[in-house]
Amino acid sequence: MTKYIGIDLGTSTTCLSVVEKGESLIIPGPSGEKVIPSYVYLREDGKFLIGEPAKAECIADPYNTIWATKRLIGRKFNDPFVQYSLKRLPYKISESKHDGVQIHGRDKTYPPEWFASLILKSVVHHASTYLSEPVKKAVITVPGTFNKFQREATQKSAEKIGLEVLRLVNEPTAAAVSWGFHKKTGQTVAVFDLGGGTFDAFIIRIGEGNYKLLAARGEPWLGGEDFDNVLVEKVASAFKKQYKINIYTDKIAHQRLKTAAEKAKMELSENDEALIYIPSICPDISRVADVNYKVGRAEFDGLIEKLVDRTIQIFHRAVQDAGLSLDDLDNVLMVGGMTRVPLVREKMRRLIGREPNCTIDPDEAVARGAAIIASGLSGNPVKLSPPASTKPADEYLSGDVDIHAMYAEAITRSHDPSSPDQDFSSHQPDVLPDGGIDTPNLSGAQNSSNAEQAPGAQLLLEVLSQSIKIEDLAKILAPTAGNGNGNWRTGGFTLKASLREGVRIKVYHNANGNGRRVMLGEFVIQSYKATEHSSPEIKVYFSVDKKAPFAVNAPILSAGISK
């Protein structure tokens, strides 16, 4: 029997979960830890250390200890975030062929995806041993800000080790699922995700099994490491004042201090003070110089307050982007290890005027949600309890997660990776990127007297298919000429279930010609779920006109028989 698991492949840590007897459980690491550091150490003999053993080597050999590759995966070398990483990461990074990124270690170069594959291979092997059953299929979570190339690179990293990716799911959606937001909850949920390397704020509307992203904001370089760095800077400044020695000039000494600062930060989430003590931090000098710095929670709060305020401001702007007030939020979910910091929770409490939801371990929430989705894809039942909310309890319906309603998570625009003119940037929901198709106005609600002046609607096509090109689909959707009524051609295309193909079509209207686009509607067409012994196809026919913008017929074809 093959187990389906959920994997939260994080910037700083990785967490695995599986559903057993209807409940999500964390798969502990080799030493019993709930999260496994996303670190790889390149040994001199050509072998590797992964997880806690690798992170331990970061102090002595930061040049060959590779971490935070999630920041680099799927990016071009000239990407601003890659350039920023050059200054922050101790190991060497350079440009590879085709403008990509390569990492140097032990006189060799590796793509970032290679390290992701190593981590996945290690944790999946351990999971198979722990479960006493082979693990060959998984749902893997990715940041909501990941573009299609970052998602593809993540999926390829898994496929290289023989792991089938059932679905790539946005981390905030997985977190919402772990709390039990599922069918007919009818809630507006905010996810505040502050991890080791990144910060994301998402506003999601959930109802009738649908997960609709209303707004998203975030920063790829804002997380636990930044909190560590402000404490490192404070201690390094005091050390330099006492000994006239700049710790930053010695990467090993700098890494030792970062490790100690991270530990102190974690202690301060539980205690009022912590001691940073590092004997002989620079042993190559003629005199003994110890780091001996006591930091209290009040001092630490003062150091990190600006960073915390940035996360709160970004979160508040996301709520505003969704066109909501703070009172409209039924739940605010705290996700990521850094949400344990008391000041973070206190600032959020002040903002929303009530307690945020911290009932699930913030390091585990995303992985648990991924496991629930994986279990739903396997057809196994999942027990979900109604989450706490201002809504009456009888509005909930416990039961299986409607997995197919979340299919839009995986849909991206079709592309040719070899094309030099490819647009590598991600896009926001309210921006129509290249690929939009100018069409006649489809809004039936518009007054006829203004119809001739209307700039019209526009279509945004997003395609996940190896057989369908967005250009060909655009031709099918093109309006017929001559009648002026905006009638559309009727067309069809085939989606292969074995490839988990799909198409999402959004319709935007450029309201009053002022450049602000309003989404009129969208629909998702996905391939039917294949079984172990069959690969059915869906033949999709649609006819679009002013009276029926989305008339879709998608019979399932199996052995030539329509069902």
Side-chain angles (χ1 to χ4, degrees):
M1 182 178 179
T2 300
K3 284 287 186 182
Y4 293 22
I5 67 171
I7 302 176
D8 175 13
L9 183 63
T11 304
S12 56
T13 61
T14 295
C15 186
L16 280 69
S17 180
V18 65
V19 171
E20 295 277 9
K21 297 180 180 179
E23 297 183 1
S24 62
L25 305 173
I26 295 298
I27 301 174
S31 302
E33 66 273 26
K34 292 183 177 180
V35 294
I36 302 168
S38 301
Y39 283 65
V40 176
Y41 178 64
L42 306 174
R43 295 187 354 179
E44 292 184 17
D45 60 4
K47 297 182 180 180
F48 322 106
L49 297 177
I50 298 172
E52 287 289 357
K55 188 175 181 179
E57 295 293 336
C58 197
I59 296 176
D61 191 358
Y63 307 100
N64 294 298
T65 305
I66 313 302
W67 52 281
T69 55
K70 187 175 179 179
R71 300 187 188 279
L72 308 174
I73 194 168
R75 293 187 184 272
K76 294 295 182 179
F77 183 74
N78 60 1
D79 187 299
F81 294 111
V82 172
Q83 294 300 307
Y84 187 62
S85 299
L86 297 178
K87 305 174 184 178
R88 303 288 294 272
L89 297 173
Y91 50 83
K92 184 179 178 182
I93 303 170
S94 66
E95 186 173 4
S96 67
K97 294 180 180 179
H98 309 298
D99 305 321
V101 176
Q102 60 184 6
I103 296 170
H104 295 251
R106 301 293 181 195
D107 299 322
K108 295 182 179 180
T109 58
Y110 309 87
E113 295 80 6
W114 187 79
F115 294 96
S117 293
L118 279 182
I119 294 170
L120 286 170
K121 184 177 182 180
S122 176
V123 298
V124 168
H125 174 74
H126 171 71
S128 297
T129 302
Y130 179 82
L131 297 171
S132 299
E133 296 177 19
V135 172
K136 296 182 179 180
K137 299 182 180 182
V139 167
I140 300 179
T141 61
V142 293
T145 53
F146 258 26
N147 61 31
K148 58 191 173 187
F149 298 98
Q150 292 170 294
R151 292 169 186 263
E152 287 175 357
T154 302
Q155 179 155 340
K156 289 178 181 178
S157 298
E159 292 173 345
K160 285 181 179 179
I161 64 166
L163 180 66
E164 180 182 345
V165 181
L166 297 169
R167 189 151 304 159
L168 293 176
V169 176
N170 284 347
E171 291 166 359
T173 299
V177 170
S178 72
W179 258 277
F181 296 96
H182 41 92
K183 291 181 180 178
K184 296 187 178 179
T185 57
Q187 292 205 38
T188 301
V189 176
V191 180
F192 182 98
D193 188 354
L194 183 58
T198 61
F199 171 69
D200 290 307
F202 291 86
I203 314 300
I204 307 172
R205 178 62 185 170
I206 306 172
E208 298 296 332
N210 293 298
Y211 290 67
K212 182 177 181 181
L213 179 64
L214 301 182
R217 282 185 177 266
E219 285 194 27
W221 271 104
L222 179 56
E225 185 186 352
D226 299 277
F227 287 63
D228 299 341
N229 288 336
V230 293
L231 183 55
V232 166
E233 184 177 346
K234 179 68 174 181
V235 176
S237 177
F239 185 81
K240 184 176 182 180
K241 184 176 181 180
Q242 181 178 0
Y243 293 103
K244 312 301 181 192
I245 299 172
N246 185 0
I247 288 179
Y248 291 101
T249 60
D250 186 330
K251 285 196 173 183
I252 293 179
H254 181 207
Q255 186 57 50
R256 291 178 69 190
L257 179 55
K258 284 189 67 175
T259 301
E262 181 186 17
K263 182 180 178 181
K265 173 192 68 180
M266 296 170 67
E267 290 180 6
L268 288 170
S269 292
E270 302 292 337
N271 305 315
D272 292 332
E273 63 179 25
L275 177 64
I276 299 177
Y277 176 68
I278 309 173
S280 303
I281 191 169
C282 297
D284 58 332
I285 63 175
S286 58
R287 66 188 187 279
V288 175
D290 300 340
V291 170
N292 193 344
Y293 191 94
K294 184 179 291 185
V295 56
R297 181 182 290 180
E299 180 185 5
F300 181 64
D301 287 350
L303 294 173
I304 67 172
E305 187 168 17
K306 289 184 178 180
L307 293 174
V308 176
D309 286 343
R310 278 172 58 192
T311 67
I312 298 299
Q313 290 165 4
I314 293 171
F315 174 85
H316 198 185
R317 285 199 295 268
V319 176
Q320 293 172 337
D321 289 346
L324 302 173
S325 69
L326 295 169
D327 291 336
D328 293 326
L329 302 178
D330 294 296
N331 258 285
V332 177
L333 313 181
M334 303 296 278
V335 179
M338 286 307 301
T339 59
R340 288 192 177 91
V341 174
L343 184 62
V344 174
R345 295 188 179 185
E346 176 59 29
K347 291 274 188 178
M348 179 56 69
R349 187 182 302 113
R350 294 178 193 172
L351 177 68
I352 64 177
R354 59 188 187 276
E355 289 290 334
N357 196 328
C358 309
T359 54
I360 293 182
D361 188 313
D363 286 321
E364 302 175 4
V366 172
R368 287 181 182 272
I372 292 171
I373 295 171
S375 183
L377 289 170
S378 70
N380 294 326
V382 182
K383 296 178 182 178
L384 294 172
S385 301
S389 172
T390 56
K391 301 289 185 180
D394 57 6
E395 290 189 17
Y396 299 101
L397 175 64
S398 297
D400 296 343
V401 177
D402 188 349
I403 299 302
H404 295 290
M406 291 183 286
Y407 185 76
E409 296 272 11
I411 294 181
T412 57
R413 294 164 58 197
S414 64
H415 67 284
D416 179 7
S418 63
S419 173
D421 299 325
Q422 189 60 241
D423 178 13
F424 291 94
S425 62
S426 60
H427 57 269
Q428 297 297 323
D430 60 342
V431 176
L432 190 67
D434 294 338
I437 306 167
D438 291 329
T439 71
N441 178 32
L442 299 181
S443 176
Q446 189 168 28
N447 189 303
S448 59
S449 63
N450 296 327
E452 295 182 358
Q453 300 177 4
Q458 293 175 310
L459 289 181
L460 169 60
L461 309 179
E462 296 179 318
V463 180
L464 180 66
S465 172
Q466 293 185 5
S467 57
I468 304 172
K469 293 183 179 180
I470 195 169
E471 295 82 6
D472 296 334
L473 190 58
K475 293 177 183 177
I476 296 175
L477 288 170
T480 56
N483 57 15
N485 294 324
N487 292 329
W488 291 72
R489 295 188 180 97
T490 299
F493 51 87
T494 301
L495 300 174
K496 296 181 180 180
S498 59
L499 299 176
R500 303 187 297 279
E501 293 187 336
V503 174
R504 176 167 58 191
I505 302 177
K506 298 181 180 180
V507 178
Y508 292 85
H509 180 246
N510 190 351
N512 301 323
N514 61 4
R516 177 177 175 81
R517 293 183 177 90
V518 177
M519 190 170 74
L520 304 179
E522 66 176 312
F523 66 90
V524 176
I525 305 170
Q526 69 177 87
S527 54
Y528 186 78
K529 181 182 177 183
T531 65
E532 294 290 337
H533 306 291
S534 68
S535 181
E537 296 181 349
I538 292 181
K539 192 75 173 181
V540 179
Y541 297 92
F542 53 89
S543 179
V544 187
D545 58 33
K546 288 181 68 175
K547 296 181 180 179
F550 301 134
V552 181
N553 179 30
I556 302 170
L557 301 181
S558 180
I561 301 174
S562 178
K563 294 184 178 180

